[in-house]
Amino acid sequence: MANNNGIVFFLFFSFLLIAGAFSDAPPSTPVDPSTACNATLDPKFCKTVLPGRGSENLHDYGRFSLAKSLSNAKKFLNLVNRYLASRSSLSPTAVMALQDCQLLSTLNIDFLTSAAATLNYTDSLLDPQAERIQTLLSALLTNQQTCSDGLQVTASAWKIENGLAVPMSNSTKFYGMSLALFKKAWVPKKKNKSRKGHTPSRVPHRRALLFHEAEVGRGGELPLSMSHPNRQLFERWSGRKLLQATDTVPVNDIVLVNQDGSGNYTNITDAVNNAPNDLDGTTGYYLIYVAAGVYQEYVVITKHKKYLMMIGDGINQTVVTGNHNFVDGWTTFNSSTFAVVGQGFVAINMTFQNTAGPAKHQAVAVRNGADLSTFYLCSFDGYQDTLYTHSMRQFYRECDIYGTVDYIFGNAAVVFQNCNVYSRLPMSGQSNTITAQGRTDPNQNTGTSMQSCRFLAADDLASGDGTTKTYLGRPWKLYSRTVIMQSFMDSLIQPVGWLPWNDSFALDTLYYAEYGNTGPGSSTADRVTWPGYHVIGSTDAANFTANNFILADNWLPQAGVPFDSGLL
């Protein structure tokens, strides 16, 4: 035993020396593929993929990996399409799961093509560029995992899932390898480390042309600026006067949705479908004003509908509602009442509902996979799986979120600020779990950050018999990451704080952290003792602020919503 221990120690020490030398080598220095593969989660797979000449550097390997991943993504999409070609022999649920995979695979091809278009022509990236590419490559893994999850829980699709199991696994390995090599070769060194000591000052960005407070509904400000001919039309439609100020959020066109027929459209879907494609944000938002009413429709903001801004008449005034759910045959991904993929989406003063109820299990109100997306002064109303923060970079401010089981879930890089998080009364015997974060790879820049929020009991839970237990979250995937800071937790939060998913799964690989919280449920004295749980200080908490975690200062000002850049 003593000799074996000595050998193990020698090998481990040698690995540290090699890894240390490798980490200090510049990305332009030629390295052996075996050495490059040490940066990945599956070095054995990586070595079977990378060329073995030994004259390539990390940038070369990164580009080669992207090309192989793109080729693999196209093959996987072709395989999915072949299954869909025989849909007549499949159940409706199996077809829906395959259609989810089809959409997600198409997005992956887009992301890989975009990443390659950037990386094939440069050996260095600025912080915002590196963050964008890491976001795209992180989303590859999320999309592939979502495809797999949808097929696995669909009993009628088990044969398909069986046939796709190896291709899905290979795709995950390719995407993980590409992400790891990108991070090693292109992400600035400081991005590989905790941003120690970086605590930006509070920057409450506000953009002007604000509604009069009495006309907003919640006493807040609705940031919107327009120097546009349709401003007068907007004021006539909305019945609200706007105040002009120096800073503006540009709007290139405005349309009205009103069920009484007085506007351009009577439903939201038509307004979205007729919006221009592929706006780049430089000419301003395409504004869809949705008048008060209950809109029973399933809205999808597709990938080509970029930089749409949707403004309603207020929470519980402009309501988008549906009831698709898992029990009735919908995949979780496709059960959403409102789904967003188009980059730069902004929603203000609206309610999004899924009314399926707790007995129908997974029933999503909003699924968001839109990069640089924002929800402000909105309400998300559901039970299980209410808000699906699926992927990319997202921000929520002064929103109300209602639910029971895993009701804020997904694998976006997402920040919530000043939101009210209401746990409802679940089915008998159920516990409430607020978050279920789905990070599957430690190189993903994803996670859920909740700052200055309030964790409260909804009326039905508050008036219940007091037996329902409510937890801050549980680890849906292996590297689940959630940070709650500077927030108020009422007494509904259990003293242990967090709940396991399944026995010891992910307890040493997750990252759950709390910082500076208040209220009767905030004490960390009796919290879980998992290796992955931490009570952190301001230095570590600063890593999860809006600017550090999602580079908010670079894009949120354009949306015109207020936000705090750093710790309070």
Tab-separated table of all heavy atoms in Angstrom, residues 300-346:
chain	number	residue	atom	x	y	z
A	300	VAL	N	-44.764	32.522	-30.164
A	300	VAL	CA	-43.366	32.131	-30.346
A	300	VAL	C	-42.623	33.280	-31.028
A	300	VAL	O	-42.990	33.700	-32.124
A	300	VAL	CB	-43.229	30.858	-31.201
A	300	VAL	CG1	-41.757	30.499	-31.385
A	300	VAL	CG2	-43.990	29.697	-30.556
A	301	ILE	N	-41.601	33.787	-30.359
A	301	ILE	CA	-40.697	34.790	-30.944
A	301	ILE	C	-39.537	34.003	-31.544
A	301	ILE	O	-38.622	33.596	-30.835
A	301	ILE	CB	-40.187	35.792	-29.889
A	301	ILE	CG1	-41.332	36.314	-29.017
A	301	ILE	CG2	-39.429	36.937	-30.560
A	301	ILE	CD1	-42.365	37.134	-29.739
A	302	THR	N	-39.574	33.741	-32.834
A	302	THR	CA	-38.601	32.860	-33.469
A	302	THR	C	-37.230	33.528	-33.574
A	302	THR	O	-37.065	34.719	-33.290
A	302	THR	CB	-39.066	32.457	-34.870
A	302	THR	OG1	-39.129	33.639	-35.693
A	302	THR	CG2	-40.440	31.798	-34.821
A	303	LYS	N	-36.256	32.764	-34.036
A	303	LYS	CA	-34.872	33.244	-34.055
A	303	LYS	C	-34.678	34.443	-34.970
A	303	LYS	O	-33.739	35.226	-34.779
A	303	LYS	CB	-33.925	32.113	-34.463
A	303	LYS	CG	-34.108	31.625	-35.901
A	303	LYS	CD	-33.130	30.502	-36.214
A	303	LYS	CE	-33.258	30.035	-37.669
A	303	LYS	NZ	-32.290	28.959	-37.987
A	304	HIS	N	-35.539	34.607	-35.977
A	304	HIS	CA	-35.386	35.731	-36.907
A	304	HIS	C	-36.065	37.008	-36.414
A	304	HIS	O	-35.845	38.078	-36.980
A	304	HIS	CB	-35.935	35.354	-38.279
A	304	HIS	CG	-35.114	34.323	-38.995
A	304	HIS	ND1	-33.808	34.557	-39.374
A	304	HIS	CD2	-35.402	33.049	-39.363
A	304	HIS	CE1	-33.328	33.478	-39.969
A	304	HIS	NE2	-34.274	32.548	-39.966
A	305	LYS	N	-36.887	36.904	-35.379
A	305	LYS	CA	-37.586	38.079	-34.849
A	305	LYS	C	-36.751	38.699	-33.730
A	305	LYS	O	-37.005	38.508	-32.546
A	305	LYS	CB	-38.978	37.682	-34.350
A	305	LYS	CG	-39.855	37.030	-35.406
A	305	LYS	CD	-40.090	37.956	-36.609
A	305	LYS	CE	-40.957	37.292	-37.661
A	305	LYS	NZ	-41.180	38.169	-38.844
A	306	LYS	N	-35.734	39.437	-34.145
A	306	LYS	CA	-34.774	40.004	-33.200
A	306	LYS	C	-35.150	41.448	-32.835
A	306	LYS	O	-35.745	42.159	-33.623
A	306	LYS	CB	-33.372	39.977	-33.802
A	306	LYS	CG	-32.872	38.585	-34.144
A	306	LYS	CD	-31.499	38.627	-34.793
A	306	LYS	CE	-31.017	37.229	-35.173
A	306	LYS	NZ	-29.704	37.258	-35.859
A	307	TYR	N	-34.777	41.818	-31.637
A	307	TYR	CA	-34.961	43.178	-31.123
A	307	TYR	C	-36.408	43.642	-31.240
A	307	TYR	O	-36.709	44.723	-31.732
A	307	TYR	CB	-33.981	44.151	-31.802
A	307	TYR	CG	-32.568	43.868	-31.348
A	307	TYR	CD1	-31.724	43.041	-32.096
A	307	TYR	CD2	-32.108	44.350	-30.130
A	307	TYR	CE1	-30.456	42.720	-31.646
A	307	TYR	CE2	-30.840	44.040	-29.672
A	307	TYR	CZ	-30.012	43.229	-30.436
A	307	TYR	OH	-28.756	42.911	-29.971
A	308	LEU	N	-37.290	42.781	-30.746
A	308	LEU	CA	-38.676	43.173	-30.550
A	308	LEU	C	-38.844	43.671	-29.123
A	308	LEU	O	-38.295	43.092	-28.186
A	308	LEU	CB	-39.623	41.991	-30.769
A	308	LEU	CG	-39.660	41.319	-32.135
A	308	LEU	CD1	-40.817	40.320	-32.171
A	308	LEU	CD2	-39.791	42.322	-33.253
A	309	MET	N	-39.612	44.725	-28.957
A	309	MET	CA	-39.987	45.217	-27.634
A	309	MET	C	-41.497	45.121	-27.533
A	309	MET	O	-42.222	45.626	-28.400
A	309	MET	CB	-39.518	46.657	-27.423
A	309	MET	CG	-39.910	47.231	-26.063
A	309	MET	SD	-39.316	48.941	-25.802
A	309	MET	CE	-37.592	48.622	-25.404
A	310	MET	N	-41.974	44.457	-26.495
A	310	MET	CA	-43.408	44.250	-26.317
A	310	MET	C	-43.837	44.878	-25.006
A	310	MET	O	-43.325	44.525	-23.941
A	310	MET	CB	-43.718	42.755	-26.339
A	310	MET	CG	-45.192	42.417	-26.466
A	310	MET	SD	-45.466	40.628	-26.704
A	310	MET	CE	-44.811	40.375	-28.354
A	311	ILE	N	-44.771	45.806	-25.075
A	311	ILE	CA	-45.214	46.543	-23.892
A	311	ILE	C	-46.717	46.371	-23.726
A	311	ILE	O	-47.487	46.546	-24.681
A	311	ILE	CB	-44.879	48.044	-24.007
A	311	ILE	CG1	-43.369	48.236	-24.109
A	311	ILE	CG2	-45.433	48.816	-22.821
A	311	ILE	CD1	-42.936	49.672	-24.262
A	312	GLY	N	-47.121	46.005	-22.524
A	312	GLY	CA	-48.534	45.856	-22.223
A	312	GLY	C	-49.047	46.978	-21.354
A	312	GLY	O	-48.333	47.940	-21.045
A	313	ASP	N	-50.281	46.835	-20.919
A	313	ASP	CA	-50.926	47.846	-20.075
A	313	ASP	C	-50.696	47.594	-18.594
A	313	ASP	O	-51.186	48.353	-17.758
A	313	ASP	CB	-52.428	47.905	-20.361
A	313	ASP	CG	-52.760	48.881	-21.473
A	313	ASP	OD1	-52.021	49.877	-21.618
A	313	ASP	OD2	-53.737	48.646	-22.200
A	314	GLY	N	-49.959	46.529	-18.256
A	314	GLY	CA	-49.650	46.278	-16.859
A	314	GLY	C	-49.904	44.842	-16.468
A	314	GLY	O	-50.609	44.086	-17.160
A	315	ILE	N	-49.328	44.452	-15.348
A	315	ILE	CA	-49.564	43.123	-14.786
A	315	ILE	C	-51.061	42.946	-14.515
A	315	ILE	O	-51.721	43.836	-13.976
A	315	ILE	CB	-48.738	42.936	-13.502
A	315	ILE	CG1	-47.252	42.803	-13.848
A	315	ILE	CG2	-49.209	41.718	-12.712
A	315	ILE	CD1	-46.348	42.706	-12.647
A	316	ASN	N	-51.576	41.789	-14.927
A	316	ASN	CA	-52.992	41.440	-14.801
A	316	ASN	C	-53.909	42.304	-15.658
A	316	ASN	O	-55.139	42.191	-15.565
A	316	ASN	CB	-53.459	41.475	-13.336
A	316	ASN	CG	-52.759	40.451	-12.479
A	316	ASN	OD1	-52.381	39.385	-12.965
A	316	ASN	ND2	-52.549	40.762	-11.213
A	317	GLN	N	-53.331	43.147	-16.493
A	317	GLN	CA	-54.114	43.919	-17.454
A	317	GLN	C	-53.921	43.335	-18.860
A	317	GLN	O	-54.873	43.006	-19.540
A	317	GLN	CB	-53.702	45.397	-17.422
A	317	GLN	CG	-53.905	46.069	-16.082
A	317	GLN	CD	-55.368	46.045	-15.654
A	317	GLN	OE1	-56.250	46.409	-16.422
A	317	GLN	NE2	-55.617	45.587	-14.434
A	318	THR	N	-52.671	43.218	-19.273
A	318	THR	CA	-52.345	42.525	-20.526
A	318	THR	C	-51.857	41.127	-20.150
A	318	THR	O	-50.775	40.981	-19.564
A	318	THR	CB	-51.264	43.283	-21.306
A	318	THR	OG1	-51.754	44.579	-21.661
A	318	THR	CG2	-50.890	42.528	-22.567
A	319	VAL	N	-52.655	40.123	-20.473
A	319	VAL	CA	-52.394	38.754	-20.014
A	319	VAL	C	-52.327	37.816	-21.216
A	319	VAL	O	-53.251	37.788	-22.034
A	319	VAL	CB	-53.505	38.276	-19.047
A	319	VAL	CG1	-53.230	36.848	-18.588
A	319	VAL	CG2	-53.629	39.225	-17.860
A	320	VAL	N	-51.221	37.055	-21.298
A	320	VAL	CA	-51.089	36.008	-22.307
A	320	VAL	C	-51.245	34.679	-21.569
A	320	VAL	O	-50.500	34.404	-20.618
A	320	VAL	CB	-49.733	36.064	-23.029
A	320	VAL	CG1	-49.722	35.093	-24.207
A	320	VAL	CG2	-49.423	37.476	-23.500
A	321	THR	N	-52.195	33.847	-21.988
A	321	THR	CA	-52.523	32.672	-21.191
A	321	THR	C	-52.680	31.429	-22.050
A	321	THR	O	-53.117	31.489	-23.199
A	321	THR	CB	-53.813	32.918	-20.368
A	321	THR	OG1	-54.036	31.820	-19.484
A	321	THR	CG2	-55.020	33.109	-21.273
A	322	GLY	N	-52.310	30.292	-21.469
A	322	GLY	CA	-52.459	28.993	-22.115
A	322	GLY	C	-52.439	27.903	-21.062
A	322	GLY	O	-52.258	28.182	-19.870
A	323	ASN	N	-52.613	26.639	-21.488
A	323	ASN	CA	-52.647	25.548	-20.501
A	323	ASN	C	-51.978	24.267	-20.996
A	323	ASN	O	-52.275	23.178	-20.520
A	323	ASN	CB	-54.084	25.256	-20.079
A	323	ASN	CG	-54.941	24.751	-21.232
A	323	ASN	OD1	-54.459	24.605	-22.361
A	323	ASN	ND2	-56.211	24.481	-20.960
A	324	HIS	N	-51.069	24.354	-21.959
A	324	HIS	CA	-50.352	23.160	-22.401
A	324	HIS	C	-49.527	22.589	-21.247
A	324	HIS	O	-48.966	23.341	-20.443
A	324	HIS	CB	-49.438	23.494	-23.571
A	324	HIS	CG	-50.184	23.775	-24.840
A	324	HIS	ND1	-49.566	24.264	-25.984
A	324	HIS	CD2	-51.498	23.623	-25.170
A	324	HIS	CE1	-50.463	24.401	-26.949
A	324	HIS	NE2	-51.640	24.027	-26.477
A	325	ASN	N	-49.405	21.260	-21.203
A	325	ASN	CA	-48.742	20.646	-20.056
A	325	ASN	C	-48.295	19.231	-20.387
A	325	ASN	O	-48.696	18.650	-21.399
A	325	ASN	CB	-49.675	20.633	-18.846
A	325	ASN	CG	-50.938	19.836	-19.121
A	325	ASN	OD1	-50.954	18.610	-19.000
A	325	ASN	ND2	-52.012	20.520	-19.540
A	326	PHE	N	-47.481	18.690	-19.514
A	326	PHE	CA	-46.881	17.368	-19.723
A	326	PHE	C	-47.922	16.251	-19.696
A	326	PHE	O	-47.893	15.337	-20.527
A	326	PHE	CB	-45.821	17.114	-18.645
A	326	PHE	CG	-45.189	15.755	-18.713
A	326	PHE	CD1	-44.236	15.473	-19.680
A	326	PHE	CD2	-45.543	14.756	-17.826
A	326	PHE	CE1	-43.650	14.213	-19.755
A	326	PHE	CE2	-44.965	13.497	-17.889
A	326	PHE	CZ	-44.017	13.229	-18.866
A	327	VAL	N	-48.848	16.311	-18.764
A	327	VAL	CA	-49.836	15.239	-18.627
A	327	VAL	C	-50.683	15.099	-19.884
A	327	VAL	O	-51.062	13.997	-20.289
A	327	VAL	CB	-50.725	15.480	-17.391
A	327	VAL	CG1	-51.893	14.489	-17.354
A	327	VAL	CG2	-49.892	15.351	-16.114
A	328	ASP	N	-50.960	16.205	-20.543
A	328	ASP	CA	-51.779	16.181	-21.757
A	328	ASP	C	-50.967	15.919	-23.026
A	328	ASP	O	-51.482	16.060	-24.142
A	328	ASP	CB	-52.540	17.498	-21.899
A	328	ASP	CG	-53.650	17.638	-20.871
A	328	ASP	OD1	-54.034	16.613	-20.260
A	328	ASP	OD2	-54.132	18.769	-20.648
A	329	GLY	N	-49.694	15.559	-22.866
A	329	GLY	CA	-48.922	15.094	-24.011
A	329	GLY	C	-47.908	16.061	-24.580
A	329	GLY	O	-47.279	15.755	-25.603
A	330	TRP	N	-47.710	17.192	-23.953
A	330	TRP	CA	-46.721	18.148	-24.441
A	330	TRP	C	-45.374	17.893	-23.789
A	330	TRP	O	-45.296	17.515	-22.619
A	330	TRP	CB	-47.177	19.576	-24.133
A	330	TRP	CG	-48.474	19.915	-24.782
A	330	TRP	CD1	-49.732	19.691	-24.263
A	330	TRP	CD2	-48.666	20.492	-26.067
A	330	TRP	NE1	-50.694	20.095	-25.156
A	330	TRP	CE2	-50.071	20.589	-26.276
A	330	TRP	CE3	-47.808	20.922	-27.060
A	330	TRP	CZ2	-50.616	21.114	-27.445
A	330	TRP	CZ3	-48.361	21.448	-28.226
A	330	TRP	CH2	-49.733	21.536	-28.410
A	331	THR	N	-44.296	18.092	-24.530
A	331	THR	CA	-42.980	18.079	-23.891
A	331	THR	C	-42.874	19.327	-23.016
A	331	THR	O	-43.553	20.334	-23.247
A	331	THR	CB	-41.855	18.105	-24.933
A	331	THR	OG1	-41.944	19.326	-25.704
A	331	THR	CG2	-41.933	16.914	-25.858
A	332	THR	N	-42.032	19.260	-22.002
A	332	THR	CA	-41.827	20.444	-21.157
A	332	THR	C	-41.395	21.627	-22.013
A	332	THR	O	-41.900	22.745	-21.857
A	332	THR	CB	-40.764	20.152	-20.091
A	332	THR	OG1	-41.182	19.041	-19.292
A	332	THR	CG2	-40.543	21.358	-19.195
A	333	PHE	N	-40.483	21.401	-22.941
A	333	PHE	CA	-39.957	22.451	-23.801
A	333	PHE	C	-41.067	23.104	-24.616
A	333	PHE	O	-41.061	24.319	-24.836
A	333	PHE	CB	-38.904	21.843	-24.734
A	333	PHE	CG	-38.202	22.831	-25.626
A	333	PHE	CD1	-37.160	23.601	-25.149
A	333	PHE	CD2	-38.581	22.970	-26.960
A	333	PHE	CE1	-36.504	24.509	-25.976
A	333	PHE	CE2	-37.932	23.863	-27.794
A	333	PHE	CZ	-36.891	24.639	-27.301
A	334	ASN	N	-42.041	22.301	-25.046
A	334	ASN	CA	-43.091	22.790	-25.940
A	334	ASN	C	-44.385	23.116	-25.223
A	334	ASN	O	-45.402	23.385	-25.871
A	334	ASN	CB	-43.366	21.755	-27.038
A	334	ASN	CG	-43.435	22.387	-28.414
A	334	ASN	OD1	-43.679	23.579	-28.537
A	334	ASN	ND2	-43.243	21.584	-29.446
A	335	SER	N	-44.386	23.095	-23.899
A	335	SER	CA	-45.609	23.394	-23.153
A	335	SER	C	-45.775	24.883	-22.878
A	335	SER	O	-46.777	25.295	-22.289
A	335	SER	CB	-45.601	22.630	-21.817
A	335	SER	OG	-44.619	23.170	-20.938
A	336	SER	N	-44.840	25.699	-23.304
A	336	SER	CA	-44.848	27.115	-22.934
A	336	SER	C	-45.978	27.885	-23.609
A	336	SER	O	-46.293	27.675	-24.780
A	336	SER	CB	-43.505	27.756	-23.294
A	336	SER	OG	-43.213	27.582	-24.659
A	337	THR	N	-46.559	28.800	-22.848
A	337	THR	CA	-47.533	29.733	-23.403
A	337	THR	C	-46.832	30.769	-24.272
A	337	THR	O	-47.341	31.168	-25.320
A	337	THR	CB	-48.290	30.444	-22.262
A	337	THR	OG1	-48.944	29.462	-21.445
A	337	THR	CG2	-49.309	31.426	-22.800
A	338	PHE	N	-45.655	31.176	-23.862
A	338	PHE	CA	-44.907	32.243	-24.541
A	338	PHE	C	-43.461	31.782	-24.645
A	338	PHE	O	-42.832	31.494	-23.623
A	338	PHE	CB	-45.009	33.532	-23.730
A	338	PHE	CG	-44.610	34.787	-24.464
A	338	PHE	CD1	-45.548	35.564	-25.119
A	338	PHE	CD2	-43.293	35.215	-24.480
A	338	PHE	CE1	-45.198	36.738	-25.778
A	338	PHE	CE2	-42.916	36.384	-25.133
A	338	PHE	CZ	-43.880	37.150	-25.792
A	339	ALA	N	-42.940	31.672	-25.865
A	339	ALA	CA	-41.570	31.201	-26.076
A	339	ALA	C	-40.777	32.246	-26.849
A	339	ALA	O	-41.277	32.832	-27.807
A	339	ALA	CB	-41.568	29.883	-26.835
A	340	VAL	N	-39.535	32.458	-26.416
A	340	VAL	CA	-38.688	33.484	-27.028
A	340	VAL	C	-37.354	32.872	-27.437
A	340	VAL	O	-36.697	32.210	-26.631
A	340	VAL	CB	-38.414	34.651	-26.058
A	340	VAL	CG1	-37.752	35.807	-26.798
A	340	VAL	CG2	-39.680	35.127	-25.379
A	341	VAL	N	-36.975	33.112	-28.695
A	341	VAL	CA	-35.663	32.716	-29.186
A	341	VAL	C	-34.919	33.917	-29.776
A	341	VAL	O	-33.702	34.003	-29.691
A	341	VAL	CB	-35.775	31.591	-30.242
A	341	VAL	CG1	-34.398	31.171	-30.745
A	341	VAL	CG2	-36.511	30.375	-29.665
A	342	GLY	N	-35.633	34.861	-30.357
A	342	GLY	CA	-35.018	35.995	-31.030
A	342	GLY	C	-34.227	36.901	-30.109
A	342	GLY	O	-34.730	37.344	-29.068
A	343	GLN	N	-33.006	37.185	-30.496
A	343	GLN	CA	-32.088	37.985	-29.679
A	343	GLN	C	-32.650	39.381	-29.391
A	343	GLN	O	-33.332	39.982	-30.200
A	343	GLN	CB	-30.751	38.132	-30.410
A	343	GLN	CG	-29.717	38.973	-29.672
A	343	GLN	CD	-28.379	38.961	-30.365
A	343	GLN	OE1	-27.868	37.893	-30.705
A	343	GLN	NE2	-27.800	40.127	-30.604
A	344	GLY	N	-32.340	39.884	-28.194
A	344	GLY	CA	-32.643	41.269	-27.848
A	344	GLY	C	-34.087	41.533	-27.483
A	344	GLY	O	-34.510	42.692	-27.447
A	345	PHE	N	-34.857	40.500	-27.175
A	345	PHE	CA	-36.272	40.697	-26.848
A	345	PHE	C	-36.429	41.429	-25.515
A	345	PHE	O	-35.711	41.169	-24.547
A	345	PHE	CB	-36.986	39.351	-26.786
A	345	PHE	CG	-38.437	39.454	-26.406
A	345	PHE	CD1	-39.372	39.869	-27.334
A	345	PHE	CD2	-38.854	39.145	-25.124
A	345	PHE	CE1	-40.715	39.975	-26.992
A	345	PHE	CE2	-40.191	39.240	-24.764
A	345	PHE	CZ	-41.126	39.662	-25.699
A	346	VAL	N	-37.406	42.344	-25.468
A	346	VAL	CA	-37.737	43.074	-24.235
A	346	VAL	C	-39.243	43.008	-24.019
A	346	VAL	O	-40.021	43.301	-24.944
A	346	VAL	CB	-37.299	44.548	-24.301
A	346	VAL	CG1	-37.676	45.281	-23.010
A	346	VAL	CG2	-35.795	44.663	-24.553
